[in-house]
Amino acid sequence: VAGGNLIMLARDAESALRAAEAAATAMRTVEGMIMPFPGGIARSGSKVGSRYGSLPASTNDVLCPTLRGQVEHTDVPPDVESVFEIVIDGLALEPVREGMRRGLLAAADAGASHVTAGNYGGSLGPFHIHLHELVR
Amino acid sequence: MTLTLTLREAPVVPLETEGLCPDRLADASREEIEALPVWHGNERTRVGEFFAVSGSGDDVRLEGDLSRVKFVGAGMSAGRLTVAGDVGMHAGAGMSGGELHVEGDASDWAGAGMRGGSLVVRGSAGRQLGGVYAGERAGMRGGEIVVHGDAGEQAGAGLRRGLIAVAGRVGDAAGLRMLAGTIVALGGLGARAGAGMRRGSIVTMAPATPLATFVFSCVYRPPFLGLYLRRLRALGLDVSEEQLGGRYARWCGDALELRRGEILILEAGTWPSRSTTARLRSRIGSPPRQSRPASRSRRSPTVRG
């Protein structure tokens, strides 16, 4: 199960990084999943697809604060200025779910103003992990 | 060795001297240099009529009051040319290499249409610094312009590539219709900066109000800017630690064009950074702050689209 993700938003880079680091630390305790990026954290989140046919992924522009003034639609709330992403690859669905659950709670505790995730309309595969269900 | 040309007396009407470039003067004899053509008003005459020539080499020094001497260093491609004082219009226009140092002020159109090399003005520059000539699609296309004083209106107009850095204030309409490249105004910008810009960056260290056709993005630390500012500090500009480490508001525009340009405005009071403060606090054992005091609303009164 590859491409699970957790996206942390916060009011500034320091807060967002602190939340992402807390989430990555909590997620490392789960067996059967890895976070492939250095330190577990991707500074530049990506989306599936791009405007170029040969480029399978590109900047996730709707969640990029720096591009907020340039795109037609943005999902970045007005008081958010930094976004980090944690990408998760697991041996099965359950370790990915458990990793996301622990990361979600840790990020919220560490000061993230928002936490979200993306499947990009099914482009990332058949698995859907809904964050609300993880914390019920 | 230095080749020195000393202007005997300031001309009554402007003197146009498109041949005064180190690469053209380096291998020429004194007689050949004195025979080079110049225009004194509408009269074609010789360099020797106005300048006393001494020495040789591609390190050229011009002395005297050259404030009415136009096109000094225009089109130069190599060597070093120093103007010991003020210089007239179009200095370094279209230059593609070498170094042009002006120890006084430079008049209008300095570095206009420049393609490479470096132009350093120790005083202030006039209008259209690195600008675009009428009928040209692009102005400056490469190289580096550093002004230690102020710059006039329309600095970097039509800029396509390269860096224009001004220690003082830049006049109105900086980066007018610029295509790309970077303008750094350490002393602040005049009105209508970036009007019609397509791409590129305009950086200012003083508060500024972008045009209504610019849209606020975020406040952040642009990674590229540290490299640029360290380079400018190495070139002798007074870049502060706050400017190096501070956070910048990013405005995207011009929405009437591609909206891929940016104006970066230094946020006062964002340095020392929160992370620096947090590290210092952690050393003395108190927890870092978790939130900022207030959110901002910076939507430009324009409609997105």
Side-chain angles (χ1 to χ4, degrees):
Chain A
V1 179
N5 58 79
L6 210 54
I7 299 169
M8 281 131 297
L9 296 77
R11 288 182 176 177
D12 55 35
E14 287 83 0
S15 303
L17 182 59
R18 195 159 47 241
E21 286 178 335
T25 301
M27 293 161 77
R28 278 192 201 98
T29 60
V30 179
E31 292 282 336
M33 55 145 277
I34 62 163
M35 295 171 285
F37 283 86
I41 301 166
R43 177 180 175 178
S44 171
S46 57
K47 69 175 184 293
V48 178
S50 73
R51 66 167 72 176
Y52 307 107
S54 59
L55 191 65
S58 60
T59 299
N60 191 358
D61 53 327
V62 297
L63 276 170
C64 178
T66 314
L67 295 178
R68 181 161 42 187
Q70 264 173 259
V71 294
E72 301 302 324
H73 168 74
T74 182
D75 287 338
V76 183
D79 58 347
V80 167
E81 288 174 359
S82 184
V83 178
F84 284 97
E85 179 176 4
I86 293 177
V87 176
I88 308 148
D89 296 336
L91 295 174
L93 183 60
E94 192 48 41
V96 176
R97 284 176 57 91
E98 178 59 16
M100 288 177 66
R101 189 186 70 79
R102 293 187 193 183
L104 175 62
L105 296 174
D109 284 344
S113 61
H114 305 70
V115 181
T116 183
N119 184 266
Y120 308 101
S123 300
L124 269 182
F127 303 107
H128 287 252
I129 301 172
H130 298 284
L131 300 188
H132 282 287
E133 293 173 4
L134 293 180
V135 292
R136 274 180 190 156
Chain B
M1 190 170 171
T2 303
L3 169 66
T4 304
L5 281 75
T6 306
L7 187 66
R8 294 193 184 94
E9 59 182 81
V12 178
V13 294
L15 191 66
E16 296 191 7
T17 60
E18 292 194 52
L20 292 187
C21 306
D23 41 350
R24 191 163 173 186
L25 300 177
D27 298 326
S29 67
R30 178 178 162 180
E31 290 72 26
E32 288 171 328
I33 295 171
E34 287 177 341
L36 288 172
V38 293
W39 284 90
H40 182 221
N42 63 357
E43 179 191 0
R44 184 183 168 98
T45 180
R46 302 163 59 245
V47 166
E49 294 288 321
F50 289 90
F51 290 91
V53 182
S54 62
S56 63
D58 67 352
D59 184 358
V60 180
R61 185 172 177 85
L62 301 182
E63 297 184 341
D65 180 6
L66 282 87
S67 56
R68 283 188 179 169
V69 180
K70 295 180 180 179
F71 294 103
V72 169
M76 65 183 279
S77 61
R80 179 185 170 98
L81 175 59
T82 303
V83 179
D86 298 345
V87 71
M89 295 165 71
H90 309 282
M95 63 186 286
S96 58
E99 300 172 27
L100 172 55
H101 292 257
V102 179
E103 294 178 353
D105 294 340
S107 189
D108 300 347
W109 301 97
M114 185 172 167
R115 286 167 167 73
S118 74
L119 166 61
V120 178
V121 181
R122 302 296 303 185
S124 294
R127 300 175 70 247
Q128 287 278 3
L129 175 71
V132 57
Y133 287 117
E136 296 273 343
R137 179 163 166 74
M140 180 176 171
R141 296 169 196 191
E144 211 168 66
I145 298 178
V146 176
V147 177
H148 290 256
D150 299 326
E153 293 85 2
Q154 299 187 21
L159 177 66
R160 167 162 280 175
R161 194 174 295 125
L163 170 66
I164 298 175
V166 180
R169 188 167 177 78
V170 177
D172 292 353
L176 178 71
R177 300 188 66 80
M178 67 186 274
L179 303 168
T182 305
I183 300 172
V184 179
L186 296 180
L189 292 167
R192 300 180 292 282
M197 72 188 291
R198 293 170 71 84
R199 297 183 176 85
S201 303
I202 300 175
V203 185
T204 176
M205 306 305 174
T209 305
L211 286 168
T213 46
F214 281 72
V215 182
F216 175 72
S217 276
C218 66
V219 177
Y220 77 130
R221 289 188 190 87
F224 82 94
L225 197 55
L227 298 173
Y228 274 62
L229 294 179
R230 284 187 179 84
R231 167 74 178 155
L232 295 180
R233 183 183 267 183
L235 290 173
L237 293 192
D238 188 16
V239 176
S240 69
E241 288 299 318
E242 182 186 18
Q243 291 162 357
L244 270 175
R247 289 148 54 86
Y248 291 78
R250 181 177 196 260
W251 292 79
C252 299
D254 187 335
L256 295 178
E257 293 290 338
L258 279 181
R259 200 166 55 182
R260 292 188 183 171
E262 62 181 2
I263 297 179
L264 301 172
I265 305 170
L266 176 67
E267 290 277 294
T270 56
W271 194 90
S273 66
R274 288 167 52 78
S275 58
T276 306
T277 308
R279 277 199 298 275
L280 293 174
R281 283 171 182 244
S282 68
R283 285 184 196 167
I284 59 175
S286 71
R289 287 184 297 167
Q290 294 289 318
S291 63
R292 281 164 61 165
S295 62
R296 289 180 301 277
S297 175
R298 298 197 209 212
R299 293 292 174 218
S300 179
T302 185
V303 176
R304 290 182 177 207

